[in-house]
């Protein structure tokens, strides 16, 4: 994104949150966003204005940009675990490939790491749920 596009977003934020920015702050912030896609930046700012009562910081804007690009990052580990259980119920061990196609990439990665077969055959599903949630949250936090 170019500096003019970045300034449009900052002006929008400034107007919505009644904030002003110094030239120095704008320059420093632009350095953190100059390699980002303008459309993603613009959508993230619009999303944040709707959700946030206070002016979002750089980390919140960057995080929201990630969520715009990868909506699955918005889902909680519980929501994703429920999707995994539905795949197990609807596809079972013998249709593993078809079932995994219905999951987003991050969830599929965690399931493959744990072993789809082991999830299907587990008699201690609450332990598998805990393991899934820990791995999922760990991967989300490392992004």
């Amino acid at each position: 994104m170019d500096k003019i596009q970045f300034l449009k977003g900052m002006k929008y934020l400034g107007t919505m949150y009644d904030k002003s920015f110094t030239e120095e702050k704008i320059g420093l912030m632009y350095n953190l966003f100059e390699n980002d896609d303008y459309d993603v930046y613009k959508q993230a700012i619009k999303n944040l204005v709707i959700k946030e009562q206070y002016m979002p910081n750089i980390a919140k804007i960057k995080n929201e940009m990630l969520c715009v690009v990868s909506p699955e990052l918005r889902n909680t580990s519980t929501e994703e675990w429920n999707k995994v259980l539905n795949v197990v119920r609807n596809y079972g061990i013998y249709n593993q490939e078809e079932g995994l196609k219905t999951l987003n990439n991050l969830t599929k990665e965690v399931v493959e790491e744990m072993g789809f077969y082991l999830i299907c055959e587990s008699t201690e599903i609450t332990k598998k749920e805990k393991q899934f949630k820990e791995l999922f949250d760990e991967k989300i936090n490392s992004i």
Side-chain angles (χ1 to χ4, degrees):
M1 118 177 63
D2 63 36
K3 196 162 190 172
I4 293 171
Q5 292 172 322
F6 176 74
L7 287 171
K8 284 181 186 177
M10 293 309 293
K11 185 176 181 182
Y12 180 74
L13 280 173
T15 301
M16 298 306 287
Y17 291 101
D18 196 27
K19 294 273 185 183
S20 60
F21 306 98
T22 64
E23 289 279 332
E24 182 181 14
K25 188 169 187 175
I26 291 289
L28 291 171
M29 290 177 71
Y30 176 65
N31 289 336
L32 299 171
F33 289 93
E34 66 185 328
N35 295 323
D36 294 323
D37 182 79
Y38 175 64
D39 292 326
V40 173
Y41 167 74
K42 186 170 70 172
Q43 187 60 52
I45 287 174
K46 287 180 181 179
N47 293 352
L48 288 168
V49 166
I50 292 168
K51 293 190 297 188
E52 298 294 324
Q53 181 178 0
Y54 301 105
M55 172 80 176
N57 61 24
I58 293 167
K60 273 206 188 239
I61 296 170
K62 287 284 196 176
N63 188 49
E64 186 62 28
M65 289 172 71
L66 276 174
C67 290
V68 168
V69 174
S70 303
E72 68 267 14
L73 297 179
R74 291 189 198 283
N75 293 347
T76 65
S77 56
T78 300
E79 291 169 325
E80 292 303 310
W81 174 248
N82 288 331
K83 290 177 185 177
V84 171
L85 289 179
N86 284 332
V87 167
V88 169
R89 289 181 191 115
N90 294 329
Y91 294 91
I93 295 171
Y94 301 109
N95 290 317
Q96 173 181 341
E97 283 184 38
E98 288 300 309
L100 290 176
K101 286 180 188 175
T102 66
L103 300 173
N104 67 53
N105 290 336
L106 187 62
T107 303
K108 182 170 39 170
E109 187 179 318
V110 173
V111 168
E112 288 173 341
E113 194 173 311
M114 291 176 62
F116 186 78
Y117 177 82
L118 296 174
I119 295 171
C120 290
E121 291 294 308
S122 179
T123 57
E124 297 177 339
I125 204 70
T126 53
K127 284 185 180 178
K128 290 294 178 190
E129 178 180 7
K130 181 180 180 202
Q131 180 186 5
F132 174 87
K133 288 179 178 180
E134 287 172 355
L135 284 169
F136 185 86
D137 290 339
E138 183 180 302
K139 288 188 182 291
I140 287 281
N141 292 329
S142 70
I143 293 175

